[in-house]
Amino acid sequence: MKSTPLDKLIGQAIGETNRPLSRAAIDRYQAERLRSLVASCRDRSAFYRRALTAAGIDRLRGLEDLHALPLTTEADLRAHGPEMVCVSLDDVARIVTLHSSGTTGAAKRLYFTAEDLERTLDFFHLGMEQMVDPGQTVAICLPGTTPDSTGHLLARALERMQVNSHLLGLVSDPQAAAHAVAELRPDVLVGFPVQLLALARMAAHLRLNLAPVRSMLLCSDYIPDSVCHGLRQLLGCEVFSHYGTVETGLGGGVDCAAHCGCHLRESDLLVEIIDPRTAAPLAAGQWGEIVITTLTRTGMPLIRYRTGDRGRLLAGSCPCGSVIRRLDRVTGRFNQVRPLRGGGQLALPELDELLLALPGLLDFSASLADDHGGEQLRLCLTTLPGHGEAVRRAAADQLTRYPALREVEVALTLAPGPLIHYAKRVLHEQRKDQAP
Ligand SMILES: [Zn+2]
């Protein structure tokens, strides 16, 4: 089995290209970068200077001091973002602004220099090498109109590899997208997990041939098992997973041919897992909150940033032979787990596993609402044309077997047409006592 191409990326970064990467060499490199990151943040950022002083950190010895560093939160980013920038605004090449739904406070802004974006390009380039060869075609179902957005950077990375790329945009109309992909006949498809599943299901329904697609890269949202399974069954292609957020610099980690977790971009990112309640560090194998430290980011470095994503690191080496750390499949966000009044909790990824396994379903929206003193889970199902009632019955049957919903009324409706969502998946909250 071929080792992950990230071995090459990280070998180049740490200056060890002539021999197999060792864990000790990566750890030495990360310790050195962490020391200089902390020194530079203290010099250049008022926010970090205050935080490091308050934590009593003068200088770091090495990775053993990582857990003494203060954590950074999304609230810090919103309130103090500009104070975290370590370069002059003239050197900022791109600012990404994120407004989260339901939040009325300041927007979250992340600042990147050209050097930061170049490192993301390098990661995209090497990550894609295992999926596509020069002269082949990749269809990118991501937004790409903004310069240096994920879709745009990916297209630039593919251009370097003499690979043809076509930015098709997000899939909101699976019928139109299925026709576009069938016409283009790409070798590789890249996009949001549920959107690509909807596209593949619609193509099968319309008897459109997507056979040239030999691999897919799922990105930009957590990846339910039911989606991977559905795509492999429908297209018989290899399915790769990517983990990345704006905070990780768009690229974070990608799996290898062994498909046993995403190899992390350890030349640029230090990833740890903490207990979300106590903030205590957790060992490989234990599930908790993913925390990232950017080791090379020049524009707006992040020290121990709490992503809010639920995941775990995998212990040991990968079957591909690489010692680069691996992140298991991310299973959603902690703020998307909703307590239920009758006890227990409801998490959208669990609904995804139950419902997206139904072959006629393209997508669904979910919200929790008040209902005559009780609570109601409202699900609106988007299905293949002609499959609405059958999918609704099958969904009702699946949900009766879900213990958390024993005391929750479930209302299932059908969407008027086959248009789907085009953003990250969210469990909407409409219960008055739970409103943010
Ligand atoms: Zn591997």
Side-chain angles (χ1 to χ4, degrees), residues 272-354:
E272 52 180 317
I273 306 291
I274 63 166
D275 182 316
R277 285 159 304 155
T278 65
L282 296 176
Q286 292 185 279
W287 290 95
E289 182 174 356
I290 301 170
V291 170
I292 58 148
T293 298
T294 62
L295 295 172
T296 52
R297 186 83 49 82
T298 53
M300 183 184 196
L302 297 174
I303 295 179
R304 300 195 78 209
Y305 177 76
R306 299 181 68 150
T307 63
D309 289 333
R310 183 176 184 272
R312 65 171 180 173
L313 292 169
L314 293 166
S317 300
C318 181
C320 81
S322 176
V323 296
I324 298 174
R325 284 213 174 84
R326 291 166 297 142
L327 190 64
D328 200 356
R329 182 162 295 162
V330 170
T331 53
R333 294 181 61 73
F334 282 100
N335 66 6
Q336 289 287 305
V337 179
R338 310 284 189 210
L340 295 171
R341 287 188 196 129
Q345 55 190 31
L346 182 65
L348 188 59
E350 290 170 21
L351 289 178
D352 285 340
E353 296 302 356
L354 286 177

Side-chain angles (χ1 to χ4, degrees), residues 1-4 254-261 263 317-322 324 326:
M1 184 186 301
K2 269 172 90 173
S3 181
T4 171
V254 67
D255 67 353
C256 64
H259 304 296
C260 291
H263 284 288
S317 300
C318 181
C320 81
S322 176
I324 298 174
R326 291 166 297 142

Side-chain angles (χ1 to χ4, degrees), residues 126-186:
L126 278 162
M128 291 305 289
E129 264 189 4
Q130 61 188 336
M131 286 168 239
V132 64
D133 295 321
Q136 293 189 323
T137 299
V138 177
I140 306 172
C141 297
L142 296 173
T145 45
T146 312
D148 299 326
S149 59
T150 309
H152 193 256
L153 285 172
L154 184 57
R156 274 171 58 199
L158 292 167
E159 201 178 304
R160 278 188 190 176
M161 303 162 62
Q162 282 86 49
V163 168
N164 309 307
S165 64
H166 294 262
L167 269 162
L168 300 181
L170 292 169
V171 178
S172 58
D173 179 346
Q175 200 161 327
H179 278 289
V181 171
E183 197 172 313
L184 188 62
R185 300 174 62 81

Side-chain angles (χ1 to χ4, degrees), residues 221-258:
D221 205 351
Y222 65 85
I223 304 170
D225 275 333
S226 54
V227 171
C228 280
H229 182 70
L231 285 168
R232 280 195 204 103
Q233 266 202 329
L234 271 171
L235 299 181
C237 65
E238 193 168 9
V239 179
F240 288 87
S241 306
H242 171 259
Y243 172 71
T245 60
V246 176
E247 289 88 344
T248 66
L250 305 171
V254 67
D255 67 353
C256 64

